[in-house]
Amino acid sequence: MNARRILTRKPISTVLESLMWHDAVRGFVLSQVEKALRKEAEECTPDKCLRQVQIDRLDCAIALLRGLDRIMRRGLVSKRFMSTILEAFLGNVFMNEELTVAAGKLGFEPPSFITISPTGRCNLKCKGCYASDAALQGNQLSFEVFDRICREKREMWGSHFTVISGGEPFLWEDNGRDLIDLAARHPSDVFMVYTNGTVIDNELARRLADVANISPCFSVEGFEADTDARRGKGVHAKVMAAMERLRNYGIPFGISATATRDNWDIITSDEFVDFYYFDQGALYCWVFQYMPIGRDQSVDLVVPPEHRVEMVDRMWRLVRERQVFMVDFWNSGTASLGCIAAGRGTGYFYINWDGDVMPCVFTPYAADNINEIYARGENIQSVLNLPLFKKIREWQHEHGYEKPPVETKNWLCPCAIRDHFDTFAEAVRECNARPITPEAKAALEDQEYYSRMVEYGIRMHELLEEKWEREYLNKQPQTIRDSESQCDVVKAGL
C-alpha cells in the first residue's frame, strides 16, 4: 500500500492525528523525516539533479514541518484543522498521486494549482496594487463558474489546491453565497486566501474554523509603520486583531509581503521573523518582488539588483538557521525549479474577476477568457493549449525545466516578466495577448519602461551568474573567469 493511501485511510489517519498531539512523539517523527530528506539530498547525483537545488527544496519542506511543530506546541491548530492538514493537505496536495496519474493520461504533467481572484472589489487602495483600479468596476466571477473551475481541475488534473487573491476575496459574494460556502463544497481541497485582514471579524473567523480548509495569508509590508504607509492608517492593527481571532480558533495562517526598495531589508530581518513567526504564530510567508504593473506603477520602487542579491542570502539563512518557511518566487527560484507560470507541471496559471486567463498574477495580459471558453463548450483543459501559455512553457524548458541538470540555466533569475522582459514582451506581441489594464498596455508601448526592465534583467544576470555556477553547477571561480574571458574573445571577433 502506498504512502498516500496509508495516510488517508481513516483508521490510520485517526491514529496519526492522535500521535501528532504529543510533542515528544511529533518531534521524534519530524526528526526522522528530516534525516531522510537530508539523506536524499546528499545522495543526489549530477546526472539526476543539481544537488544544491535539491537541498534548497528540502530545506523549505523541513522549515514548513518545523513551523507546523511550533504552532502545534503553542496550541494554535484545532483538531478539525489538523484533520485537514493530514488528509487534505498532506494526502491530497503534498503527497498527491492523482497528479501523476493525470500526467500519464494527458501525456504531460498538469499544473498543481490555479490562482483565482473572484473579485476585484477591495476596501483598500494600496499603492502599487497589481489589481490596479479593478475595484471601481465591480466585476466578479459567478459562483457557478468559480465552482466549476475548482471541480474541473480536481477531476481532470488531480489538483486539490487553490490560491485565492483579489481584490479582497472575503468581500466576494454571488447570490448569497461567499468564499466559505464555496470551500465547503470542496472539502477534499485546501484553499489559501491572500487577504488584507480588515474584514475578518469574529463571525468570519468562526465560519473559517467550521469549514477548516481555508488558510488566510495576511498582507503586510513590514511592521506597523511600513504596512500603514502603503495600505492605510490603522490597517496593521486590524491585521493583528484578525491574527488573534484565528489563533483563538486554531486556524493556521501565513503572511505575504511585497519587497520594494524601501522595505526589502525589513522583511528579511530577524526582527521580522521574530515578530510574525514566533510572536504572532505565522506558519509561512510568501515574499513577492514588487512588479511595476499596477496602480501608479514605478520602476523606481523595484528592489535594486544589488539589494536583491543580498536578499537571496538573507532569505536562505532564515530558512536554514531559523527554520521558517519563507519563499520568494524570484529569489527562491531554485525551490520551484524556475518559473512556474503558464500552467507548467507543478505550476499554475491565473484567472481574474473578469474571467481573463493569464500565465501569472503578475503578467496582466489575457490569453483567453474562462467565461468565453465555457460558452464555446470547452473546459479548463483548453487553457493549457493557448499559444501564449505554450510559448512560455517552451521558454521554461529552454531555461532548464525538465532538461538534464547540466543544461539548467540560472534559476536565480527565473522570472519571465522581471528577469527576461524582452523575451516576455516578444511572446505577448507574437501571441496577440490582450493587456487587461491601461497600465499593462502602456508597459508594452513605453520605450523607457521597456529599456529599464530589460536593463534590470541584464544586471541581475551579471550579479548572480557566478553564484549560480559556483554554488549550483559546482564550477570553480577560475573556471568561470576563464569561460567569461573566452566569451569576451568571441565577442571581440578574435
Side-chain angles (χ1 to χ4, degrees):
M1 183 175 292
N2 62 44
R4 182 180 179 278
R5 289 176 183 170
I6 291 174
L7 179 67
T8 55
R9 276 181 62 191
K10 196 64 179 178
I12 296 177
S13 177
T14 302
V15 172
L16 284 173
E17 185 177 334
S18 299
L19 291 175
M20 288 294 281
W21 293 110
H22 296 276
D23 290 349
V25 174
R26 187 177 61 252
F28 174 75
V29 171
L30 292 179
S31 68
Q32 295 306 303
V33 170
E34 181 173 346
K35 286 180 181 178
L37 293 176
R38 295 288 183 199
K39 187 174 185 293
E40 182 180 341
E42 291 294 331
E43 293 175 350
C44 180
T45 57
D47 60 314
K48 294 182 179 179
C49 61
L50 296 176
R51 181 173 176 272
Q52 187 58 48
V53 167
Q54 189 76 348
I55 290 173
D56 289 354
R57 289 165 61 80
L58 296 179
D59 280 339
C60 285
I62 290 167
L64 185 60
L65 291 173
R66 291 296 172 185
L68 179 60
D69 181 53
R70 279 195 301 271
I71 63 175
M72 289 194 68
R73 287 177 184 273
R74 292 179 57 183
L76 303 182
V77 183
S78 70
K79 289 189 175 182
R80 184 157 186 169
F81 218 107
M82 178 51 63
S83 295
T84 296
I85 291 173
L86 284 175
E87 296 183 24
F89 183 71
L90 290 180
N92 294 332
V93 177
F94 193 70
M95 300 174 66
N96 188 356
E97 286 192 336
E98 293 178 52
L99 290 170
T100 303
V101 173
K105 293 179 179 179
L106 296 170
F108 59 88
E109 192 171 14
S112 58
F113 69 102
I114 297 177
T115 295
I116 304 172
S117 290
T119 180
R121 191 159 66 96
C122 188
N123 58 328
L124 302 181
K125 195 171 183 178
C126 304
K127 298 175 183 177
C129 177
Y130 77 90
S132 192
D133 288 319
L136 304 178
Q137 302 174 32
N139 297 338
Q140 64 176 34
L141 289 179
S142 70
F143 188 94
E144 288 74 19
V145 167
F146 196 170
D147 182 62
R148 180 177 174 182
I149 294 169
C150 293
R151 174 172 50 80
E152 285 188 343
K153 74 185 186 67
R154 181 175 63 250
E155 293 176 353
M156 293 182 178
W157 304 333
S159 169
H160 288 263
F161 183 48
T162 306
V163 176
I164 311 297
S165 190
E168 171 48 52
F170 288 116
L171 293 178
W172 175 74
E173 184 181 61
D174 182 42
N175 292 322
R177 295 175 292 182
D178 62 11
L179 189 59
I180 298 177
D181 294 314
L182 182 127
R185 288 176 59 87
H186 303 273
S188 68
D189 294 1
V190 176
F191 298 83
M192 189 189 73
V193 180
Y194 290 112
T195 175
N196 61 42
T198 61
V199 298
I200 300 181
D201 56 17
N202 194 66
E203 174 59 18
L204 182 54
R206 182 194 63 77
R207 294 182 65 209
L208 287 169
D210 287 342
V211 74
N213 64 344
I214 296 177
S215 177
C217 185
F218 295 97
S219 298
V220 296
E221 309 304 326
F223 300 107
E224 182 174 15
D226 312 288
T227 299
D228 285 2
R230 186 184 185 206
R231 297 181 173 274
K233 187 173 178 57
V235 169
H236 190 264
K238 292 180 180 178
V239 169
M240 294 299 101
M243 286 183 178
E244 182 177 10
R245 295 185 184 103
L246 297 190
R247 288 195 298 269
N248 291 338
Y249 279 103
I251 303 168
F253 62 86
I255 56 173
S256 68
T258 300
T260 69
R261 70 180 303 128
D262 299 325
N263 73 344
W264 69 269
D265 55 336
I266 295 172
I267 63 178
T268 55
S269 68
D270 282 289
E271 292 78 12
F272 183 84
V273 165
D274 288 339
F275 181 74
Y276 286 106
Y277 287 90
F278 295 95
D279 293 346
Q280 299 302 314
L283 175 60
Y284 55 87
C285 174
W286 303 110
V287 175
F288 298 95
Q289 295 286 321
Y290 168 74
M291 299 290 285
I293 60 169
R295 181 185 296 126
D296 302 321
Q297 61 191 31
S298 171
V299 180
D300 292 332
L301 276 177
V302 171
V303 177
E306 290 76 11
H307 290 157
R308 184 174 146 191
V309 171
E310 188 175 348
M311 281 185 74
V312 176
D313 292 332
R314 290 174 65 139
M315 289 184 64
W316 281 115
R317 184 189 70 80
L318 294 174
V319 170
R320 297 190 225 280
E321 295 181 11
R322 303 299 305 277
Q323 293 195 314
V324 294
F325 185 86
M326 176 182 281
V327 172
D328 175 336
F329 287 107
W330 292 261
N331 290 341
S332 308
T334 54
S336 59
L337 305 181
C339 171
I340 62 173
R344 192 204 81 178
T346 71
Y348 88 116
F349 59 88
Y350 176 53
I351 300 175
N352 76 352
W353 44 84
D354 290 317
D356 288 330
V357 177
M358 289 160 277
C360 171
V361 172
F362 298 102
T363 55
Y365 302 93
D368 208 328
N369 185 284
I370 194 64
N371 297 311
E372 295 174 11
I373 288 173
Y374 286 160
R376 295 196 299 263
E378 301 173 21
N379 56 42
I380 199 74
Q381 184 69 23
S382 301
V383 172
L384 301 183
N385 296 318
L386 294 171
L388 179 61
F389 280 45
K390 293 172 74 173
K391 187 78 173 177
I392 292 176
R393 291 202 302 271
E394 289 172 3
W395 173 83
Q396 291 165 343
H397 180 68
E398 293 171 0
H399 211 65
Y401 182 66
E402 293 186 326
K403 293 190 76 172
V406 293
E407 297 180 31
T408 306
K409 295 181 182 177
N410 193 343
W411 279 341
L412 299 176
C413 299
C415 180
I417 190 171
R418 167 61 71 81
D419 303 321
H420 307 268
F421 190 76
D422 50 348
T423 300
F424 173 77
E426 180 183 352
V428 168
R429 296 190 183 101
E430 182 180 320
C431 299
N432 295 314
R434 173 175 55 83
I436 65 168
T437 65
E439 294 89 352
K441 185 174 185 294
L444 289 179
E445 298 173 349
D446 186 341
Q447 187 57 45
E448 181 183 358
Y449 179 97
Y450 178 91
S451 297
R452 292 186 67 182
M453 291 293 286
V454 172
E455 289 169 4
Y456 183 94
I458 292 173
R459 182 57 179 156
M460 288 307 307
H461 278 78
E462 290 174 349
L463 292 172
L464 285 169
E465 192 63 26
E466 181 172 328
K467 180 182 181 66
W468 169 255
E469 296 204 6
R470 182 181 69 253
E471 297 181 14
Y472 291 88
L473 298 183
N474 296 318
K475 293 184 179 180
Q476 298 302 315
Q478 183 60 48
T479 303
I480 296 169
R481 286 194 293 271
D482 289 345
S483 298
E484 290 173 347
S485 298
Q486 291 171 9
C487 289
D488 292 338
V489 171
V490 172
K491 289 177 182 177
L494 301 176

